[in-house]
Amino acid sequence: SSRTKPVIIIDTFGELPRLYGIASVVFIGGSSYLRNVAGLGQNIIEPLAHRRPICFGPNMRLWDEVTLPMKAIWPGLEVDSADALARATIRLLTDRDLAALLNAWTEQFFNAHQKDIDNNFTLALSAITSAGLHARALSSNAEVMRTKERALMA
């Protein structure tokens, strides 16, 4: 039962990328209240990169490209109260069909933006080599890392 699983609440700086990989559901903190005049929200890409289901508050304007299509799949991802967050978390943990739809969208999103990642790598590599420096490519994907390291050695 989901009621017997441990819940960890983190409010720190710097540890989140390591914890996303073990999370069952991620709530994007700083999105449930107006942190700044524009209500821009916080980084939603990192937990998605770990392929974790996410919930967020109504203050995510900077991330509309991501949140709007996700809300089109299931509006319950945007929560405005503790009760809504609890209901969303339970649904994300128990509804396999919803999880499959969200996972499919996440894969499409990252596939569509793979060129962005490649362009950033190429720009950084060009800057490093222009400065006469050497670099080593790091990636969680072993094949990507081998490809990038071959490019560095060329």
Side-chain angles (χ1 to χ4, degrees), residues 102-117:
L102 292 168
N103 286 338
W105 181 87
T106 300
E107 289 303 319
Q108 288 176 337
F109 175 81
F110 280 106
N111 288 338
H113 290 279
Q114 182 61 46
K115 189 154 183 74
D116 298 342
I117 296 166

Side-chain angles (χ1 to χ4, degrees), residues 1-7 86 90 93-94:
S1 149
S2 63
R3 294 186 186 271
T4 62
K5 295 186 181 198
V7 174
I90 290 168
L93 291 172
T94 59

Side-chain angles (χ1 to χ4, degrees), residues 140-153:
S140 58
N141 181 317
E143 182 55 35
V144 168
M145 187 162 62
R146 283 191 292 275
T147 301
K148 305 289 187 196
E149 285 181 342
R150 282 193 293 272
L152 287 170
M153 291 186 243

Side-chain angles (χ1 to χ4, degrees), residues 77-150:
L77 294 173
E78 183 177 289
V79 298
D80 60 1
S81 68
D83 287 340
L85 177 57
R87 285 191 305 273
T89 300
I90 290 168
R91 176 99 185 259
L92 289 168
L93 291 172
T94 59
D95 187 335
R96 292 176 195 252
D97 292 336
L98 176 60
L101 287 171
L102 292 168
N103 286 338
W105 181 87
T106 300
E107 289 303 319
Q108 288 176 337
F109 175 81
F110 280 106
N111 288 338
H113 290 279
Q114 182 61 46
K115 189 154 183 74
D116 298 342
I117 296 166
D118 293 340
N119 289 341
N120 286 335
F121 178 83
T122 301
L123 175 67
L125 178 61
S126 177
I128 290 167
T129 55
S130 292
L133 302 172
H134 299 284
R136 181 163 185 249
L138 299 176
S139 172
S140 58
N141 181 317
E143 182 55 35
V144 168
M145 187 162 62
R146 283 191 292 275
T147 301
K148 305 289 187 196
E149 285 181 342
R150 282 193 293 272

